[in-house]
Amino acid sequence: MAAAMASLPGFRSAQEIHAELRRQGEAVGLTTVYRHLQVLSEQGVIDTIRDPSGESLYRQCGSTAHHHHLTCRQCGRSVEVEGRVVEQWAEKVAAEAGFTAVDHTVELFGLCPDHSG
Amino acid sequence: MAAAMASLPGFRSAQEIHAELRRQGEAVGLTTVYRHLQVLSEQGVIDTIRDPSGESLYRQCGSTAHHHHLTCRQCGRSVEVEGRVVEQWAEKVAAEAGFTAVDHTVELFGLCPDHSG
DNA sequence: ACTGGAAATAGAAACGGTTATCATTAACGT
DNA sequence: ACGTTAATGATAACCGTTTCTATTTCCAGT
């Protein structure tokens, strides 16, 4: 089930994933979907981002290494992008300001080639 | 009132701002606080970020130019940082992937020198 | 001052995503 | 089969935010 859940392409909300599973005949509850998503996320199996409205979106990614996403606002399709530049920049400004335990959130949202019209 | 609202130091949630105003004697409603924050945010007078839990935080910033924030998880104190590097990186990866209308979210959260212990 | 209408306001209710509760069901070892 | 344990899912609670709507405030014109 975990596999089926994460096999959907692009970033999807928990509720979309739930609806899709139901459509496929899985008699799964919303609670279980949330629970599994949380576990999978903690294990690093799937990635979690937040769209501008604050909703959480999930997706199984190809790389388990640290990376960021460029996601389509329309269809959820996303590209994995890595940003050594960003990491270094984050570390630098944090050090300059004397902050510790710094974590960073970097999300890119736009329109993919199919939805640019 | 708008002035009083934004005079608080550091990033604060709408509800914290509301509570603070009430403590100061202002008989203002939570609705009004949200409404003002929204207007001020649209006008670019204050900046809005989202903390890891998804809650919105507001602050009056020194610069009206585009910049990002390094914010203390404990006290909300924040440093304004500019990241030409990040902007350029974002533009580049977006162009390479053929995405348009790309917007980016870059937030840094950590512990300020006073709360690093 | 008085009036009438537009704008602002505030409390309560609604909303939406997420999380907690808890009784039920499935799974497993003995 | 049996008892124990973990997983499940319907429902309700939660919490920040938004909407609703009646009321109040503001102000121009008289």
Side-chain angles (χ1 to χ4, degrees):
Chain A
M1 175 183 299
M5 206 138 72
S7 72
L8 299 165
F11 275 94
R12 293 293 148 78
S13 72
Q15 319 221 22
E16 283 173 339
I17 292 170
H18 176 238
E20 177 60 26
L21 290 173
R22 295 301 276 253
R23 204 175 315 126
Q24 293 178 7
E26 302 255 6
V28 66
L30 183 56
T31 308
T32 304
V33 172
Y34 272 109
R35 229 187 334 246
H36 282 210
L37 288 173
Q38 187 175 340
V39 172
L40 291 171
S41 184
E42 285 170 0
Q43 292 176 342
V45 177
I46 62 176
D47 282 13
T48 305
I49 62 178
R50 268 175 200 277
D51 72 12
S53 80
E55 191 173 4
S56 292
L57 306 178
Y58 308 86
R59 183 196 176 204
Q60 188 171 33
C61 276
S63 160
T64 59
H66 178 76
H67 61 276
H68 300 288
H69 299 97
L70 169 54
T71 307
C72 179
R73 271 189 284 268
Q74 287 285 321
C75 63
R77 168 180 163 188
S78 88
V79 178
E80 300 176 32
V81 296
E82 50 116 313
R84 269 186 278 269
V85 186
V86 181
E87 323 296 335
Q88 290 168 359
W89 168 82
E91 281 181 28
K92 197 190 70 177
V93 299
E96 284 175 358
F99 276 54
T100 57
V102 174
D103 198 6
H104 62 275
T105 301
V106 176
E107 303 297 349
L108 304 179
F109 284 95
L111 296 174
C112 74
D114 291 350
H115 293 93
S116 286
Chain B
M1 177 185 296
M5 207 137 74
S7 72
L8 299 163
F11 276 94
R12 293 292 148 78
S13 71
Q15 318 221 22
E16 283 173 337
I17 292 170
H18 177 237
E20 177 61 25
L21 290 173
R22 296 299 275 251
R23 204 175 316 126
Q24 293 178 7
E26 303 255 5
V28 66
L30 182 55
T31 309
T32 304
V33 173
Y34 272 110
R35 186 154 14 86
H36 282 210
L37 288 173
Q38 188 175 340
V39 171
L40 292 171
S41 184
E42 285 169 1
Q43 293 176 341
V45 177
I46 62 176
D47 282 14
T48 304
I49 62 178
R50 268 175 199 278
D51 72 11
S53 80
E55 191 172 2
S56 292
L57 305 179
Y58 308 87
R59 184 195 174 205
Q60 187 170 34
C61 276
S63 160
T64 59
H66 178 77
H67 61 276
H68 300 288
H69 299 97
L70 169 54
T71 307
C72 180
R73 271 190 285 269
Q74 287 286 321
C75 63
R77 167 181 164 188
S78 88
V79 178
E80 301 175 33
V81 297
E82 50 115 313
R84 270 186 274 271
V85 186
V86 181
E87 323 295 336
Q88 290 168 0
W89 168 82
E91 282 181 27
K92 196 190 70 177
V93 299
E96 284 175 357
F99 276 54
T100 58
V102 174
D103 199 4
H104 62 275
T105 300
V106 176
E107 302 298 348
L108 304 178
F109 284 95
L111 296 175
C112 74
D114 291 349
H115 293 92
S116 286

